[in-house]
Amino acid sequence: MNIKQLEAFVRIVKNKSFSQTAKELYLTQPTVSSYISSLEEDLGVQLFTRTTKEVHTTSEGEQIYLYAKDIVNLSNKIRNAFKEEQKDDINEIVISSSSIPGQYLLPGMLANFSKRYPSTEFRVHETDSKGAVSDVAEHRADIGFCGTIVPKMACTFLPFYEDELILITPNTSYYQKKKESKDLSFLAQADFVMREQGSGTKQEALKILQQNGLNLDNMKVVARFANTGAVLLSVKEGVGVAIVSKLAARSEIKNQEVLDFPLQEGGYFRKIYMVSNSNYPLSKRAKLFMQMIQNHVDKRKIL
C-alpha cells in the first residue's frame, strides 16, 4: 500500500463518491478505482459497497478508515514541517457513542460546537457503552460517550452529565395503584424488558434491582432490545416493565403512555462519561471539543 492509495480511500469515505474524489485529486476515475482495488488486494478486505447513487463503507473499511486518516494527516504534516505557516487542518472528529448520550445529549453539543467552528465534520457511530469504549481503546474513534465505565487500558473517563434512571410501566389500573402506594415489591414478579448485554443502562439497571433485593437469577426477562426506543414501545404496549433513562422517556411520560416510578428517594442517578485514549494524540479540533465538555463539567461541578 502507498500514501496515494490511502489518500484516495480517505477522500472516498468522506465524499461517498469515486468521481468527486477523482476531481479533487486531479485524477481519472479509473485511476482512483485502481488505487482502491490495489489497496483492497493488499489488505485482503473489501472497503466499499456501491449502489447506483452512493458508495458505502464496509465494516472493515470503517475500522481501517481512522488509521488511514491518521497516516494521511501525518504525511501532510511532514510535508508542511518546514513551511513558515503550519496549521492543523484536520476538521473531522470521529465519535462513538452509546444510545442515550448519542440520541439525547450529543445533538445539542455538536450544534453548540459547530456554531463556533462551522467547518467541523462529525462522524458519529452509535453503539452500546461497551462498543463505544472499545472503539476509543482501539482507535476507531477519537472520542467516546458511554453510560457506564468499561475498564480499558489507556482510556480515561470524564463524567459530564448526571442522568436519572427510572422504572417505567404500562399505564394500567394495576400499576396506577402501585404508583399511589409507592410500593416496588411487585418487581419480584414483574416481566422485564431489557437492553442488550453491552448497554450501560442495563448494567446500571441490574445494580439497582440487586440493591432492591431482587434475586437476578430469578428475574423474568421477556424481551431484550438493541435500542431504547424499542424498550419504550414494548412497555407502552404492555409487554413488561423496564428501567430506562428519564431523558429517553420524557415524551411517553408527558403523554401518559407509561407510568414512571422513582427508584429511590431523591432519584437514582448515574453518570454519563466522555472517553478518551491517552495513547493516541488528538487533532486540535478534537481537543477543542473535549475542552468544551470539560468547561461544562467545571461549570456544573459534576465531578
Side-chain angles (χ1 to χ4, degrees):
M1 86 182 65
N2 59 53
I3 194 67
K4 291 185 180 296
Q5 292 170 344
L6 293 176
E7 185 175 8
F9 167 64
V10 168
R11 285 181 181 259
I12 292 169
V13 172
K14 290 183 178 181
N15 296 333
K16 297 186 183 299
S17 167
F18 276 67
S19 59
Q20 179 61 33
T21 297
K23 289 178 184 177
E24 290 178 1
L25 295 176
Y26 301 98
L27 298 170
T28 64
Q29 188 167 329
T31 300
V32 171
S33 296
S34 175
Y35 282 166
I36 299 305
S37 295
S38 298
L39 186 58
E40 289 177 327
E41 188 175 339
D42 287 345
L43 297 173
V45 296
Q46 183 178 349
L47 300 174
F48 298 107
T49 57
R50 308 189 203 189
T51 66
T52 53
K53 293 183 178 179
E54 227 174 35
V55 175
H56 298 281
T57 315
T58 63
S59 58
E60 293 84 0
E62 286 288 346
Q63 291 178 26
I64 293 166
Y65 170 71
L66 198 59
Y67 297 110
K69 185 188 74 165
D70 283 349
I71 292 170
V72 171
N73 288 332
L74 184 58
S75 173
N76 290 334
K77 285 183 177 180
I78 292 171
R79 289 172 185 163
N80 295 329
F82 300 103
K83 292 184 179 179
E84 289 184 8
E85 293 185 2
Q86 298 181 42
K87 62 178 182 179
D88 185 347
D89 59 353
I90 306 170
N91 62 359
E92 182 184 70
I93 303 174
V94 181
I95 295 173
S96 186
S97 176
S98 60
S99 59
I100 297 302
Q103 293 176 23
Y104 302 100
L105 298 174
L106 261 182
M109 293 190 295
L110 301 189
N112 287 337
F113 190 79
S114 294
K115 287 177 184 176
R116 296 182 62 186
Y117 304 98
S119 62
T120 305
E121 297 177 21
F122 291 100
R123 286 172 58 83
V124 181
H125 172 228
E126 188 174 307
T127 178
D128 54 30
S129 288
K130 184 178 179 181
V133 176
S134 293
D135 283 346
V136 173
E138 296 168 21
H139 200 37
R140 291 190 293 269
D142 298 315
I143 303 167
F145 293 92
C146 61
T148 192
I149 292 178
V150 183
K152 290 280 186 180
M153 189 178 295
C155 281
T156 302
F157 294 81
L158 173 72
F160 76 96
Y161 183 85
E162 289 185 327
D163 178 35
E164 184 179 3
L165 295 181
I166 58 172
L167 175 76
I168 59 169
T169 71
N171 189 355
T172 64
S173 58
Y174 172 80
Y175 289 113
Q176 288 165 8
K177 291 176 183 177
K178 296 296 182 184
K179 187 171 174 67
E180 288 174 9
S181 65
K182 300 181 180 179
D183 179 16
L184 294 181
S185 62
F186 67 87
L187 289 177
Q189 287 80 40
D191 293 341
F192 282 91
V193 180
M194 302 288 285
R195 286 286 309 279
E196 77 291 349
Q197 191 61 37
S199 162
T201 302
K202 179 189 175 182
Q203 300 309 316
E204 294 298 321
L206 294 178
K207 289 180 190 176
I208 295 165
L209 294 172
Q210 207 162 27
Q211 289 169 12
N212 277 275
L214 184 68
N215 185 336
L216 300 184
D217 293 332
N218 296 331
M219 274 183 67
K220 185 180 178 184
V221 179
V222 295
R224 301 179 191 273
F225 293 99
N227 63 77
T228 304
V231 172
L232 294 170
L233 182 58
S234 296
V235 175
K236 281 166 53 178
E237 295 297 326
V239 174
V241 305
I243 292 176
V244 300
S245 164
K246 193 171 184 178
L247 271 175
R250 284 180 302 186
S251 176
E252 286 78 7
I253 295 169
K254 182 179 179 181
N255 295 331
Q256 299 184 340
E257 296 169 319
V258 299
L259 298 176
D260 62 307
F261 294 70
L263 291 165
Q264 64 183 31
E265 189 174 348
Y268 183 98
F269 292 85
R270 56 96 180 253
K271 289 181 171 63
I272 300 292
Y273 299 90
M274 177 175 66
V275 192
S276 58
N277 188 334
S278 58
N279 279 348
Y280 295 101
L282 292 175
S283 67
K284 182 179 178 182
R285 193 67 59 97
K287 288 178 182 176
L288 287 169
F289 183 76
M290 287 187 65
Q291 187 59 55
M292 183 188 77
I293 306 299
Q294 180 67 63
N295 292 342
H296 169 80
V297 172
D298 293 343
K299 194 177 295 183
R300 296 279 300 275
K301 294 183 170 55
I302 289 171
L303 293 173

